[in-house]
Amino acid sequence: MVKYDRVPDTKQKWFKEAKYGLFIHWGLYALLAGEYKGVKTDHISEWIMNSLGIPVGEYEKLADEFNPVDFDADALVKMAKEKWGMKYIVFTSKHHEGFAMYKSEVSKYNVVDATPCHRDILKELADACKKYDMRLGLYYSQAQDWHDPNGYVSHANGDEAQRKDNNFKKDFQYYLDNKVKPQLKEILTGYGEISLIWFDTPMAMTKEQSQECIDLIKSIQPNCVISGRVGNQLGDYMTTGDNFLPRLPFEGDWEVPATLNDTWGFNKDDENWKNPEDILKLLIKITSRGGNYLLNIGPKASGEIPEKSVGILNEVGKYVTENADGIYGTVRGDIYPYELSWAEFTYKKNKIFVHVFEPRKRLEILNCANHVKKAYILKNDQELDFVVEPTCEGDTIVTVEIPKEWREEKYYCVCIETEEDGPVFEPLRG
Ligand code: JFZ
């Protein structure tokens, strides 16, 4: 049974209500942008060190060139908050390459000590998040570390047996105790409130090792939410596969991490951009099924955000900010028995939001038996005529009339206020 009351006030309330976040994949891989010594990777670009087998000693030298003169954390966070309508940011504090994007005392392989820019990028982002009241989460690659001799390596050259053997010979616990935990401590103590830690690819981590990471985090910031990929099903919410959307409403908190093209880190050759309409539909579908959408950008090495990403997010953001009530704080709903091409529903107590994707003369919602109090266009409160009546077959249909000036429009939202807490969908019968 679905509850349409506002979600209870738990530590994860913000996460449940957020719906839309910004993922930022940024590290030394941005300098290569998908190509090393004339060879292009056809894998996700942040994996280039691993995919092309670049030796640690060579890859490390990239740090000498990292000088992101165009990176403006303040402008980025402002844009994400005000224009894109995002409620949280997750930034790669250390990806699998092992390079820390903040000032670390644990390892000199970090953005302040190893680069000519000497800028603490995380500090810049954390300050901007504080200023614009944006929640900040941090990605931290806890299992894979291709720079540390004891970090796990996946997809390494060689056959499966060799790979397993390579990882098996490592002292992973040593790496965990001497790099991961001390670095987690740094990012959780030096940058104010960290709302979320986004772990990834746990590989062979034991239950105890996953738990050690969790215990450490909760001992420093008890309200910090932990992603599903901490391993061993111990996270605070479920993370789906990248770009994978559950078909049905899923109970509990969950999130879809997703790309705008086919890569997380910047790749100069990847032009396979999704269009804003598809992104928006995905956001509404995910929201309707109770999840969050964590959408990625991969800044260039200069710090510039790819123009295409900005364009797509601007367009999606226009809808999101204009129809905020139909997105943030909505809850997973009962399943509507029909597949519609022209609409998706989201739900709040006493409200059904109809997100309209195609031009319509009227919205016909068959087998919906709610008592309707009012219907209106969400972004301008324009009231609409409606009827609730039995069909000739004896089912119930809610019909909302769309006024002439709106009939050519698509991508707008109609709010239907109901007497019942949630939608009353009639089961289909023969
Ligand atoms: C991981 C990373 O390896 C990748 O670089 C990126 O950071 C992404 C967000 O996460 O890749 C994964 C991890 C898990 C799945 C797919 C890709 N999965 O469970 O389907």
Side-chain angles (χ1 to χ4, degrees):
M1 215 7 224
V2 179
K3 285 253 189 297
Y4 293 91
D5 286 313
R6 293 289 291 240
V7 287
D9 189 10
T10 66
K11 67 176 169 52
Q12 260 173 240
K13 182 170 183 278
W14 75 265
F15 182 83
K16 292 177 204 294
E17 296 189 340
K19 300 298 153 203
Y20 194 31
L22 178 69
F23 216 165
I24 306 175
H25 274 73
W26 203 29
L28 297 180
Y29 40 83
L31 286 154
L32 297 179
E35 180 172 341
Y36 183 66
K37 291 188 173 165
V39 182
K40 292 182 197 285
T41 176
D42 66 357
H43 197 51
I44 39 185
S45 77
E46 71 282 3
W47 275 70
I48 192 166
M49 175 181 180
N50 184 286
S51 307
L52 299 187
I54 306 173
V56 174
E58 272 186 53
Y59 190 88
E60 264 179 356
K61 290 189 202 132
L62 288 172
D64 301 340
E65 294 164 44
F66 192 76
N67 190 18
V69 290
D70 296 328
F71 183 69
D72 183 344
D74 192 281
L76 175 59
V77 175
K78 187 177 190 329
M79 188 154 61
K81 171 102 188 184
E82 293 169 5
K83 224 169 168 184
W84 299 345
M86 283 148 161
K87 295 290 190 188
Y88 62 113
I89 288 181
V90 178
F91 173 65
T92 48
S93 62
K94 187 204 81 168
H95 205 268
H96 308 330
E97 65 178 359
F99 184 75
M101 291 294 280
Y102 69 95
K103 164 77 177 156
S104 175
E105 300 299 335
V106 178
S107 160
K108 289 280 160 236
Y109 196 43
N110 74 69
V111 70
V112 176
D113 295 317
T115 73
C117 77
H118 306 300
R119 284 166 62 180
D120 188 332
I121 300 295
L122 174 52
K123 179 82 172 60
E124 294 176 18
L125 267 172
D127 288 347
C129 286
K130 191 149 194 269
K131 177 169 164 192
Y132 295 105
D133 193 23
M134 173 74 94
R135 291 209 172 248
L136 177 62
L138 296 176
Y139 176 108
Y140 187 90
S141 177
Q142 82 282 23
Q144 290 200 69
D145 191 310
W146 306 328
H147 186 259
D148 191 289
N150 289 308
Y152 284 151
V153 180
S154 160
H155 299 292
N157 299 326
D159 62 26
E160 184 71 17
Q162 256 180 322
R163 273 185 248 152
K164 283 215 174 104
D165 197 37
N166 276 340
N167 284 328
F168 187 67
K169 283 183 186 144
K170 294 179 175 179
D171 189 346
F172 183 75
Q173 188 66 43
Y174 182 88
Y175 154 75
L176 202 63
D177 291 336
N178 292 282
K179 185 165 183 184
V180 176
K181 289 187 203 162
Q183 285 203 326
L184 284 174
K185 205 168 162 192
E186 287 179 331
I187 58 180
L188 287 160
T189 49
Y191 300 90
E193 184 179 357
I194 300 300
S195 295
L196 193 156
I197 294 285
W198 216 96
F199 287 119
D200 204 3
T201 66
M203 297 182 66
M205 280 177 81
T206 63
K207 200 167 177 186
E208 290 69 33
Q209 289 168 333
S210 297
Q211 192 62 49
E212 285 169 34
C213 292
I214 294 170
D215 291 345
L216 175 73
I217 292 169
K218 302 280 179 183
S219 75
I220 304 172
Q221 298 212 27
N223 293 335
C224 183
V225 176
I226 296 172
S227 84
R229 293 190 193 161
V230 66
N232 302 289
Q233 276 75 49
L234 290 173
D236 290 326
Y237 68 88
M238 189 269 280
T239 311
T240 71
D242 303 331
N243 291 303
F244 281 86
L245 159 68
R247 188 184 288 282
L248 298 177
F250 177 85
E251 258 192 80
D253 298 338
W254 56 279
E255 173 187 66
V256 178
T259 50
L260 287 173
N261 52 359
D262 291 325
T263 181
W264 303 88
F266 177 65
N267 183 333
K268 61 184 164 47
D269 298 309
D270 185 343
E271 290 296 334
N272 194 22
W273 299 99
K274 300 180 178 104
N275 69 54
E277 297 190 0
D278 290 342
I279 296 284
L280 179 61
K281 280 184 186 166
L282 275 172
L283 171 64
I284 302 301
K285 276 192 182 180
I286 291 167
T287 302
S288 152
R289 293 167 202 187
N292 286 355
Y293 197 16
L294 182 62
L295 201 48
N296 182 72
I297 56 169
K300 300 178 184 180
S302 67
E304 189 199 334
I305 313 305
E307 209 181 307
K308 279 278 168 49
S309 305
V310 173
I312 299 167
L313 295 177
N314 282 348
E315 274 201 56
V316 177
K318 197 166 172 330
Y319 185 92
V320 174
T321 51
E322 282 179 352
N323 298 287
D325 193 35
I327 297 174
Y328 311 121
T330 58
V331 293
R332 178 174 54 86
D334 281 327
I335 302 172
Y336 182 60
Y338 297 100
E339 174 86 24
L340 304 176
S341 65
W342 54 271
E344 286 286 340
F345 305 141
T346 57
Y347 314 96
K348 256 181 198 167
K349 196 175 181 191
N350 304 116
K351 286 178 179 175
I352 301 173
F353 298 95
V354 186
H355 300 263
V356 183
F357 300 148
E358 291 170 15
R360 309 284 299 180
K361 288 198 185 73
R362 54 189 60 90
L363 311 181
E364 290 152 314
I365 308 170
L366 187 58
N367 290 100
C368 176
N370 280 92
H371 292 86
V372 176
K373 292 204 293 205
K374 189 179 165 189
Y376 54 96
I377 291 186
L378 187 58
K379 73 172 165 191
N380 67 356
D381 287 331
Q382 186 176 343
E383 278 210 41
L384 305 177
D385 293 334
F386 63 86
V387 294
V388 183
E389 59 192 352
T391 64
C392 301
E393 287 73 33
D395 299 317
T396 313
I397 186 165
V398 174
T399 305
V400 179
E401 290 297 321
I402 299 299
K404 282 221 169 52
E405 68 273 24
W406 282 89
R407 288 191 182 167
E408 303 298 316
E409 296 289 320
K410 50 183 183 171
Y411 297 102
Y412 62 94
C413 181
V414 170
C415 177
I416 298 177
E417 290 190 1
T418 62
E419 274 171 29
E420 298 83 4
D421 281 359
V424 180
F425 294 141
E426 294 168 339
L428 306 186
R429 51 205 171 98

